Amino acid sequence: MSKTEKLIAKLLNERATFTWQELETLLQRLGYQQLDGQGSRIKFHNGDPRP
């Protein structure tokens, strides 16, 4: 099982604690780009023009 598959399984497990760092890692591995906004705002964009 790859790291990406392990992170997805952990995310889907209701009893597991999922950290922000794990979420960032998973989204980056799925092709999302992190966009920093004002203050603590962060968006993840995958290149799809739909909102």
Side-chain angles (χ1 to χ4, degrees):
M1 186 183 293
S2 71
K3 180 164 179 119
T4 304
E5 292 170 332
K6 288 178 184 178
L7 286 171
I8 291 171
K10 186 174 182 181
L11 178 64
L12 296 175
N13 182 350
E14 294 177 6
R15 296 177 188 222
T17 302
F18 202 76
T19 66
W20 177 255
Q21 181 63 41
E22 290 171 325
L23 178 62
E24 286 179 317
T25 300
L26 177 60
L27 290 174
Q28 288 172 359
R29 287 175 174 264
L30 293 174
Y32 284 78
Q33 179 181 14
Q34 183 174 327
L35 306 171
D36 295 327
Q38 294 180 327
S40 62
R41 294 179 186 188
I42 297 175
K43 293 181 182 181
F44 290 92
H45 183 62
N46 67 353
D48 189 347
R50 292 179 289 166

